[in-house]
Amino acid sequence: MSSSLPALIIDETYSFIKKTLNHFNWNHLNTIINSHFDERRGHKFLSYTDVLPSLVFHSICGRYKDSIPLSSFFALNCLAAQMFDDSQDGLKSAWDGIDLLSAGTYLMNAATWIITSRYKANDTYTDIHFRFFHTVSLAAQSQSSYPSISELSLNTYFSNVLCKTGNVFSFATWSGAKLALGISRSKLLKDISQFGEYIGIASQIIDDVKDCYDETHSHHDLSNQVYTLPVIHALHQSNNPNHNRLNNLLQNSRNDQSAQAEIDRLLANIGSYTWSNNLANFYFFKASILIKSLSDEINNTWLIDYVTNS
């Protein structure tokens, strides 16, 4: 397998997306989208994620070109979801002022055009599209369900993550395997799907940690009363001397910048960032162990590289 294989898949996927969008006439948005994908080339985990269906497909049958439309479908829908999230968080300026709801709908329609145009060529695309609708339905429900501070629990958090990011990544790996296998080797299909779920959980935890302390995220989750894993962990450390102060800030002052900075310090002092990062690494480790166990069934080189260098 060529050392440049992932780069080839990424290039061909982004090129396919560009050609697809050229069929439509929203030129300003198309320029923004092309720049978005060009930037992701420089980030290994993000660009590998965009083409995860093709990486899985190639690992099974060794001809990635047949799966480029599927990765394009997945990448466009992921970008649409990011736009919907950014619209909810008030980040319109990050996208040159475009209407993010309209842009996200545009991308989802373009993605649908890609996959439905392949129904006749391969019946498996129908099954994949149906599974995608189910995935989106679960993700949308979980995205709109935000428990209050009194309702927070690790069980609630992981139930939400499984329905959202875990399910999306599981779809990515499952769809690549499904396209390669059809109805055969159901055990392999299940294992590949589980591999994606582990990566999705780990990725969501990392994103949660970033939202708490990364200045570029500006604590949007916190401001919107979306309490992510570091906060949930900290609130359950009732014996920690910082617990009462943290609870008071979250109840009364979470939108104040100085309070947010103090919340950041308290989460670090309680050890919630370290605990969350260790848990993310644990899920990446589980994904790594699982995909390595399939070495007799698939050429797993690039999937191992993807998860061990995350």
Side-chain angles (χ1 to χ4, degrees), residues 180-199:
L181 297 171
I183 62 173
S184 66
R185 300 170 73 183
S186 59
K187 175 62 166 57
L188 177 58
L189 198 62
K190 182 179 179 181
D191 287 341
I192 291 289
S193 181
Q194 182 69 73
F195 168 71
E197 182 180 285
Y198 288 153
I199 299 172

Side-chain angles (χ1 to χ4, degrees), residues 93-109:
S93 60
W95 296 93
D96 200 24
I98 60 173
D99 185 296
L100 292 175
L101 294 180
S102 297
T105 302
Y106 168 81
L107 293 179
M108 290 188 73
N109 286 336

Side-chain angles (χ1 to χ4, degrees), residues 26-308:
W26 197 343
N27 294 329
H28 176 56
L29 177 59
N30 290 349
T31 299
I32 293 172
I33 292 168
N34 290 332
S35 296
H36 164 83
F37 285 121
D38 284 342
E39 289 177 6
R40 287 171 76 87
R41 292 175 194 271
H43 193 298
K44 184 175 183 179
F45 183 74
L46 294 180
S47 57
Y48 272 43
T49 298
D50 282 340
V51 300
L52 190 50
S54 288
L55 288 175
V56 170
F57 180 88
H58 187 89
S59 73
I60 295 171
C61 62
R63 55 177 196 278
Y64 73 87
K65 287 182 179 293
D66 292 343
S67 66
I68 294 299
L70 178 58
S71 279
S72 300
F73 168 81
F74 178 69
L76 281 173
N77 275 299
C78 286
L79 178 53
Q82 182 181 340
M83 288 183 169
F84 293 143
D85 282 348
D86 285 353
S87 176
Q88 188 176 30
D89 290 340
L91 297 177
K92 185 176 180 179
S93 60
W95 296 93
D96 200 24
I98 60 173
D99 185 296
L100 292 175
L101 294 180
S102 297
T105 302
Y106 168 81
L107 293 179
M108 290 188 73
N109 286 336
T112 299
W113 180 80
I114 288 173
I115 202 166
T116 55
S117 65
R118 281 154 181 82
Y119 277 180
K120 291 183 179 179
N122 189 333
D123 289 342
T124 303
Y125 272 108
T126 307
D127 295 335
I128 290 172
H129 205 189
F130 180 81
R131 168 74 177 260
F132 176 75
F133 285 138
H134 180 68
T135 298
V136 171
S137 176
L138 288 175
Q141 291 178 52
S142 64
Q143 183 70 13
S144 62
S145 176
Y146 298 130
S148 64
I149 287 182
S150 62
E151 299 170 322
L152 292 176
S153 71
L154 291 176
N155 285 339
T156 300
Y157 171 83
F158 280 106
S159 176
N160 184 285
V161 170
L162 282 171
C163 288
K164 189 170 58 175
T165 319
N167 207 22
V168 169
F169 275 72
S170 178
F171 167 80
T173 53
W174 173 88
S175 63
K178 181 67 175 178
L179 188 62
L181 297 171
I183 62 173
S184 66
R185 300 170 73 183
S186 59
K187 175 62 166 57
L188 177 58
L189 198 62
K190 182 179 179 181
D191 287 341
I192 291 289
S193 181
Q194 182 69 73
F195 168 71
E197 182 180 285
Y198 288 153
I199 299 172
I201 294 171
S203 299
Q204 183 61 59
I205 293 172
I206 289 172
D207 189 66
D208 287 350
V209 173
K210 285 182 177 179
D211 186 84
C212 289
Y213 73 81
D214 186 346
E215 293 181 0
T216 62
H217 284 67
S218 303
H219 301 85
H220 292 293
D221 283 343
L222 201 58
S223 298
N224 292 326
Q225 293 182 266
V226 178
Y227 302 109
T228 52
L229 188 60
V231 174
I232 296 170
H233 172 265
L235 287 174
H236 281 77
Q237 311 310 305
S238 56
N239 293 327
N240 190 287
N242 295 297
H243 178 268
N244 289 340
R245 176 58 178 166
L246 174 65
N247 189 56
N248 181 60
L249 287 170
L250 290 171
Q251 294 276 11
N252 302 306
S253 307
R254 64 182 177 275
N255 291 318
D256 179 76
Q257 285 191 343
S258 62
Q260 290 178 347
E262 185 176 355
I263 289 171
D264 177 25
R265 290 193 295 272
L266 291 173
L267 292 175
N269 290 339
I270 292 171
S272 297
Y273 289 147
T274 299
W275 183 86
S276 298
N277 280 323
N278 287 342
L279 188 60
N281 288 333
F282 172 69
Y283 275 100
F284 278 130
F285 176 73
K286 290 182 73 170
S288 176
I289 293 299
L290 177 56
I291 204 64
K292 287 177 180 177
S293 73
L294 303 178
S295 58
D296 291 338
E297 300 184 70
I298 64 174
N299 190 340
N300 55 7
T301 303
W302 294 112
L303 296 176
I304 293 173
D305 183 50
Y306 169 61
V307 72
T308 55

